[in-house]
Amino acid sequence: MHRSRELSLARFLRRLVLIGLVALAVPYVLILAYASPVVHPVSTLMLADLVTLKGYDRRWVSLDDISPNLVRSVMMSEDGQFCRHGGVDWGEMKAVVQEALEGETTRGASTIPMQTVKNLFLWNGRSFIRKALEMPLAIAADFVWSKPRTMEIYLNVAEWGPGIYGAEAAAQHHFGVPASKLTRGQAALLAAALPNPITRVAGKPGPGMRRIAGVVERRARNAGDYITCIYG
């Protein structure tokens, strides 16, 4: 009887390990599938909205149908080294680790590829486990996807309010215009909202958010060589 229980436990543990390995492998398979422009990925937050019967608004558009104003604003706000790194900005990551070791409040070091894979495969909230899963996924995504494809996916899955996902739905919801017609000011407000789109409402910005958007707009106007991988 004791021997039988040990064998049953061993089989259960093997199955558990196998399930875990499959779960870890699935995102990498999906990264390969998402390289195709005909595939329109959805995020884990969108799936959660479907499961909880909340629904969501997301209207996929190609990168060509998104205003360059938004691309520049998001890049200069979220990841100024987007065109230069391989998915992870190791210099920024090293600085954050050093701050943590010194007991200081750490700033975010997530690149656009890291945010994209987090949106697609992982969960919100800060944790070392999520970050450990996020970094190799971001490196794999940056290797498989072109920079324009990464930006296209990110701008189509980013959250811009409760149930509002992607640039097109955000532009329509907050400003009543298509994503292709976003002005510099509107694009800067959307970029400024990204760190916390629930409390930062692009269509109804407070004084603090307007100041942030002003900084983003100035950076975007002077983007220059920073965006050559998108508009070379």
Side-chain angles (χ1 to χ4, degrees):
M1 181 69 73
H2 181 68
R3 178 64 175 170
S4 177
R5 287 176 179 174
E6 286 183 344
L7 290 174
S8 296
L9 179 60
R11 283 195 295 268
F12 173 76
L13 290 175
R14 283 198 297 271
R15 288 173 184 170
L16 200 61
V17 170
L18 181 59
I19 290 170
L21 291 174
V22 170
L24 289 173
V26 166
Y28 293 92
V29 175
L30 290 176
I31 284 172
L32 291 172
Y34 293 167
S36 171
V38 302
V39 178
H40 299 165
V42 296
S43 70
T44 52
L45 285 178
M46 293 183 207
L47 293 174
D49 284 346
L50 285 178
V51 169
T52 56
L53 304 180
K54 294 178 181 177
Y56 63 84
D57 184 5
R58 196 282 290 274
R59 313 168 204 183
W60 184 280
V61 289
S62 71
L63 190 62
D64 291 337
D65 292 322
I66 297 175
S67 170
N69 291 324
L70 183 61
V71 175
R72 294 188 185 99
S73 292
V74 167
M75 193 182 299
M76 298 311 294
S77 174
E78 297 290 292
D79 186 3
Q81 299 302 313
F82 175 71
C83 288
R84 293 174 170 84
H85 61 63
V88 176
D89 187 338
W90 293 109
E92 189 69 15
M93 190 64 66
K94 181 180 178 181
V96 169
V97 171
Q98 187 63 37
E99 289 173 0
L101 292 175
E102 293 173 357
E104 299 178 14
T105 301
T106 58
R107 61 187 183 277
S110 289
T111 62
I112 285 175
M114 290 169 71
Q115 293 180 56
T116 304
V117 297
K118 183 261 292 181
N119 289 340
L120 292 175
F121 309 121
L122 303 172
W123 61 91
N124 284 336
R126 301 179 72 175
S127 74
F128 288 112
I129 294 175
R130 197 204 75 191
K131 194 64 68 176
L133 294 171
E134 189 178 290
M135 287 194 290
L137 284 169
I139 293 169
D142 190 82
F143 179 78
V144 173
W145 303 337
S146 67
K147 294 290 187 179
R149 177 60 174 168
T150 301
M151 182 62 71
E152 181 178 75
I153 293 175
Y154 178 62
L155 292 179
N156 275 286
V157 299
E159 183 185 22
W160 265 295
I164 306 298
Y165 299 96
E168 184 67 21
Q172 296 282 359
H173 177 79
H174 292 293
F175 303 113
V177 299
S180 61
K181 301 296 184 183
L182 287 165
T183 65
R184 286 179 176 175
Q186 291 167 340
L189 285 168
L190 286 173
L194 277 174
N196 194 340
I198 304 303
T199 59
R200 293 185 182 183
V201 182
K204 298 178 180 179
M209 187 173 172
R210 287 189 182 278
R211 283 194 295 272
I212 295 170
V215 173
V216 171
E217 187 175 350
R218 287 193 296 274
R219 289 177 179 172
R221 193 180 294 118
N222 298 317
D225 293 340
Y226 287 96
I227 59 169
T228 54
C229 62
I230 304 292
Y231 305 113

